[in-house]
Amino acid sequence: MPTSTPTQATDFSRRDVLRAGAGAALGAAALGSGVRPALAASDPDEFEAWLADVDNYDGIADERGAAEVTVAVGAPGNDGDFAFEPAAVRVDPGTTVVWEWTGKGGVHNVLDADDAYESEMLTDAGATFERAFESEGVSLYSCLPHQSMGMKGAVLVGGVAAGDAPPEVDYGDWFDGVENFAGTVDRTGRKLVRVAVGAAGNGGHFAFEPAAVRVDPGATVVWEWTSDGDAHSIAAADGSYDADLVDSEGATYALQFDGVGVSKYTCPSHAAQAMRGAVVVGDPMESVVDVPLSVTIVGGGLLAAALSPLGLAALLKLRETEN
């Protein structure tokens, strides 16, 4: 990967300076929020090639469900503060992406690979540039002065395929009537993932949020009670694990998932309100496969002490099906 100091990195041609300066006002004003972007073709190979030299790219951050998403400009990465963070983000159609400058790494801008939008060259911490993405597709962009260093990013709108992202899981009718379900939220790359219990949804506070989450094998999922919507509990669809009925705000229940598969669960007390969820571990590759589950309770221990006012902790091992 090429290395450069901020001073060297800003040594671009006068034509590019004029293009960035003269066109920036139009980019920031006319294209900043309401105009539909021209999205690059949804080509997984093109997507991977675009991000191949971006050292802070570690997967697509799934921010579907959010009306506005912030991307840091000048985040740590690429041998300095020459990164967008997250480098790749997936949003719903209609979402506004706000790029916010950190003030680090010198002068940066946001430039669409197809010239559909362009910000000014900015350096001040807290400066912003925003764009509303209306149509499904993929938008590739970079920081013009630091593109050669790997300061590039991508916005994926809707469920378009890109890179090596696994396909959406077919849950059958499990999420029928679950109004807060909007697809599987990608939380891969994290060792600990939180799910709210008693989030807004299904006619009250009768939802798990996110309703469906994808994690890496070995990740720990922590369900945390909001105390809204009466007392809630958690029960696996196949009976392999369950948490007590609780109404205390901040109470938690933790499970560590291993192997590959899909675990569906519900709040039995609010089955009529469609309070259901699922944890996808890795990429099951095909339609939903209910993996045989065995539960090992780990008494006390660091996990229980660190995570749980409720005092509940367990290890859930998802074993691959043996033919």
Side-chain angles (χ1 to χ4, degrees), residues 35-52:
V35 181
R36 189 163 92 183
L39 294 170
S42 179
D43 182 340
D45 292 336
E46 180 185 7
F47 175 86
E48 283 297 298
W50 181 254
L51 297 173

Side-chain angles (χ1 to χ4, degrees), residues 8 24 47 70-71 87 97 105 115 162 180 183 219 288 321:
Q8 291 171 327
F47 175 86
T70 300
V71 175
V97 176
D115 293 322
N180 69 308
V288 168
T321 305

Side-chain angles (χ1 to χ4, degrees), residues 15-260:
R15 173 184 175 279
D16 285 333
V17 173
L18 292 173
R19 177 168 171 265
L26 177 62
L31 296 178
S33 58
V35 181
R36 189 163 92 183
L39 294 170
S42 179
D43 182 340
D45 292 336
E46 180 185 7
F47 175 86
E48 283 297 298
W50 181 254
L51 297 173
D53 61 345
V54 180
D55 69 15
N56 68 308
Y57 171 61
D58 59 359
I60 302 167
D62 194 331
E63 296 294 344
R64 286 175 291 184
E68 183 177 287
V69 174
T70 300
V71 175
V73 181
N78 305 304
D79 296 328
D81 295 303
F82 308 122
F84 297 104
E85 183 58 47
V89 61
R90 186 184 297 276
V91 301
D92 291 320
T95 299
T96 297
V97 176
V98 179
W99 286 271
E100 182 172 354
W101 273 249
T102 65
K104 299 179 180 179
V107 62
H108 303 297
N109 78 332
V110 177
L111 174 64
D112 175 65
D114 291 335
D115 293 322
Y117 55 89
E118 180 179 359
S119 78
E120 297 183 50
M121 295 284 182
L122 300 170
T123 60
D124 294 340
T128 61
F129 170 74
E130 66 181 50
R131 180 76 174 179
F133 290 86
E134 301 293 346
S135 299
E136 188 166 285
V138 178
S139 178
L140 307 177
Y141 66 89
S142 67
C143 167
L144 180 63
H146 301 122
Q147 178 175 330
S148 64
M149 300 177 67
M151 191 169 178
K152 294 181 285 188
V155 178
L156 298 88
V157 186
V160 294
D164 57 359
E168 182 62 65
V169 173
D170 179 4
Y171 297 97
D173 61 359
W174 183 249
F175 284 111
D176 288 359
V178 181
E179 67 177 26
N180 69 308
F181 172 70
T184 306
V185 174
D186 191 347
R187 291 290 183 262
T188 55
R190 306 185 186 187
K191 294 182 179 179
L192 189 147
V193 174
R194 293 186 179 272
V195 176
V197 181
N202 305 310
H205 287 86
F206 306 120
F208 297 104
E209 184 58 48
V213 62
R214 186 188 302 274
V215 302
D216 290 323
T220 297
V221 176
V222 180
W223 287 269
E224 184 170 353
W225 273 250
T226 66
S227 80
D228 295 324
D230 303 321
H232 302 293
S233 62
I234 298 170
D238 66 356
S240 58
Y241 59 90
D242 63 83
D244 292 342
L245 193 65
V246 175
D247 62 0
S248 302
E249 182 178 1
T252 60
Y253 179 69
L255 297 173
Q256 186 180 55
F257 289 81
D258 196 10
V260 175

Side-chain angles (χ1 to χ4, degrees), residues 240 255 294-299 313-317 319:
S240 58
L255 297 173
S294 61
V295 180
T296 304
I297 303 297
V298 180
L315 287 179
L316 172 64
K317 298 294 185 181
R319 301 301 184 189

